[in-house]
Amino acid sequence: MILASKEKSTMSTSMTRERVLCLKVWIPLGVIIMVVIEVLFGVMIVAKLPLGVQLGGRVTRWLKPPTPTLPPPVSACDKIILRPFQSLTTVALASYPQSGNAWTRHLIEKAAGIYTGTVHDAEKKNTKALKYFPGNKVDYRSGRVICVKTYRYDPRHIREFEAAILILRHPFQSIISEAYRQHLLKPTMTEGERDITLKSHRWRTFVQKESLRWRNIALRWLELARNTYVIHYSDLISSPNQTLEKMVRYLNVPVRLDRMECALSQYPPLLTAEERINKWHHQRFYTTESPYSQELESTIMEYIVDVNISLMMNRQKPFPWNLTIDLY
Ligand SMILES: *[C@@H]1O[C@H](CO)[C@@H](O)[C@H](O)[C@H]1NC(C)=O
Ligand SMILES: *[C@@H]1O[C@H](CO)[C@@H](O)[C@H](O)[C@H]1NC(C)=O
Ligand SMILES: *[C@@H]1O[C@H](CO)[C@@H](O)[C@H](O)[C@H]1NC(C)=O
């Protein structure tokens, strides 16, 4: 009994000592180890996030074996900037709609390395347009962009610019394309519905109005701008190299062949309907048949002759006469 109780007491004292040891040493030690582990995990998580970059290379290298991360491929023409305020002259990139203005803007931006702007308010707020052309957001008179898209042709507007590039595309092609943009023609139309529209009075009025606008845009910019340089869309298609180079020179930017080549590889001329639809996500129908009646055709031809005369008088390249149009 006594022995047993003695044993019990020694047992209980050793148990107390263990409890003390546990309280004073093991628990704090455990807490410290847990804290250290948590801190380490925390650091590792942070190091994987973008914040971890700020930890410096040494920490991340220590946490993770260096994996050879290849930088994303950079092409010669990927870097495009806005120039400082008032550092460029205000040059228009004028055209009738659907004349390759957007394509030309991309080519110039890539080749020159400077963003282009717009005068059209709707494009300054449209997020999709801003994604493609970040220069849309700046004031076109700020001298920060290399040239400025405009479809306007009122004399006061034209005189806001010190110079202009005028893009001319054959009205046969631009006008039908514009009919889709204005939803007079719709990609959802059946062939029958399309034929009815193309024979309607509405179509006739549309073509008369739009061909006159095509003529006036060209004549006004040729006659009223301080300095105009004409680019024919057909030249941009048949010799994109030389045509782009001429525009870059006209804009007073050093010609960089690597940038030009890069620009043209990213925005090559699109020759078939399929290529155009895929590249620009155009929802429209192309046809090889002329949508213009003989009467409309002769009206358009008269306007072309007017523009051609003005081109000659302003010492610009004449309108291509023998241009064969195989896709409307
Ligand atoms: C167009 O540019 C490419 C690349 O710089 C060149 O190889 C080619 O000869 C040029 N073509 C013409 C017609 O100038
Ligand atoms: C434009 O004028 C030039 C030079 O006179 C001429 O060769 C060409 O045929 C004209 N084109 C049109 C479409 O009138
Ligand atoms: C147009 O005429 C020019 C010179 O007269 C010629 O080089 C070109 O091949 C012709 N184009 C077409 C499409 O007939």
Side-chain angles (χ1 to χ4, degrees):
M1 268 299 278
I2 295 166
L3 209 111
S5 73
K6 224 177 170 181
E7 241 176 65
K8 217 180 187 179
S9 80
T10 43
M11 256 173 79
S12 73
T13 42
S14 85
M15 261 167 79
T16 352
R17 220 177 283 144
E18 253 178 49
R19 217 172 280 151
V20 169
L21 205 70
C22 190
L23 275 174
K24 283 203 172 163
V25 181
W26 296 119
I27 289 180
L29 202 63
V31 168
I32 289 169
I33 289 169
M34 269 162 64
V35 166
V36 167
I37 287 171
E38 271 188 33
V39 166
L40 275 180
F41 268 103
V43 167
M44 278 167 84
I45 287 165
V46 166
K48 281 194 184 160
L49 295 173
L51 260 178
V53 176
Q54 287 169 7
L55 282 174
R58 200 186 287 170
V59 177
T60 35
R61 229 177 292 135
W62 167 66
L63 287 169
K64 223 172 23 175
T67 44
T69 45
L70 291 172
V74 177
S75 335
C77 60
D78 279 352
K79 190 169 176 258
I80 306 173
I81 57 159
L82 282 172
R83 289 286 303 273
F85 189 66
Q86 296 294 323
S87 61
L88 297 164
T89 56
T90 311
V91 182
L93 186 65
S95 72
Y96 176 82
Q98 307 298 61
S99 299
N101 199 307
W103 176 33
T104 309
R105 283 180 75 181
H106 282 304
L107 288 177
I108 291 174
E109 288 188 351
K110 292 277 173 185
I114 305 167
Y115 284 120
T116 62
T118 184
V119 307
H120 299 284
D121 282 338
E123 290 165 9
K124 292 176 188 288
K125 289 163 203 142
N126 181 319
T127 40
K128 203 172 148 208
L130 277 169
K131 193 179 137 233
Y132 289 123
F133 296 113
N136 279 4
K137 65 176 182 284
V138 305
D139 178 357
Y140 65 92
R141 288 153 297 199
S142 64
R144 304 196 65 193
V145 289
I146 188 70
C147 63
V148 180
K149 167 189 174 172
T150 179
Y151 297 154
R152 282 175 57 186
Y153 57 102
D154 44 300
R156 249 185 66 196
H157 179 64
I158 292 175
R159 292 200 193 94
E160 285 184 311
F161 295 91
E162 281 157 77
I165 291 176
L166 172 66
I167 310 169
L168 289 181
R169 189 184 186 194
H170 202 295
F172 282 179
Q173 288 167 316
S174 291
I175 290 172
I176 186 157
S177 207
E178 179 65 1
Y180 277 96
R181 199 177 69 99
Q182 292 190 23
H183 308 296
L184 175 62
L185 290 168
K186 295 187 187 79
T188 50
M189 282 177 166
T190 63
E191 216 177 312
E193 288 169 331
R194 206 166 44 241
D195 282 348
I196 291 169
T197 307
L198 294 179
K199 289 192 174 70
S200 68
H201 178 71
R202 213 171 141 220
W203 170 250
R204 188 166 162 259
T205 332
F206 175 83
V207 175
Q208 284 170 339
K209 179 172 145 254
E210 291 298 327
S211 54
L212 186 61
R213 175 156 77 119
W214 178 88
R215 169 193 181 269
N216 289 345
I217 288 175
L219 291 185
R220 292 258 183 87
W221 280 98
L222 278 165
E223 283 156 20
L224 301 178
R226 296 202 184 98
N227 191 311
T228 306
Y229 181 62
V230 172
I231 288 294
H232 292 284
Y233 182 86
S234 54
D235 288 339
L236 213 44
I237 294 282
S238 63
S239 46
N241 256 12
Q242 292 96 320
T243 314
L244 179 58
E245 188 182 331
K246 283 177 192 163
M247 287 194 287
V248 169
R249 282 190 200 286
Y250 181 74
L251 292 166
N252 246 326
V253 179
V255 175
R256 268 187 48 187
L257 290 177
D258 57 337
R259 287 203 77 111
M260 296 240 314
E261 200 179 328
C262 174
L264 285 165
S265 73
Q266 290 185 16
Y267 295 95
L270 305 174
L271 303 178
T272 66
E274 213 172 33
E275 281 178 336
R276 277 187 211 155
I277 289 165
N278 290 339
K279 179 84 189 184
W280 300 104
H281 309 289
H282 266 182
Q283 290 296 309
R284 64 156 286 193
F285 180 85
Y286 288 91
T287 170
T288 49
E289 264 174 59
S290 171
Y292 307 103
S293 65
Q294 216 138 56
E295 179 218 0
L296 289 175
E297 242 185 67
S298 56
T299 306
I300 295 174
M301 291 315 289
E302 272 174 40
Y303 293 159
I304 292 177
V305 171
D306 291 347
V307 170
N308 199 34
I309 290 168
S310 180
L311 283 172
M312 284 185 290
M313 279 171 29
N314 289 282
R315 298 207 191 92
Q316 298 291 331
K317 194 174 168 186
F319 204 82
W321 179 240
N322 61 354
L323 192 70
T324 47
I325 293 172
D326 44 20
L327 202 62
Y328 293 90

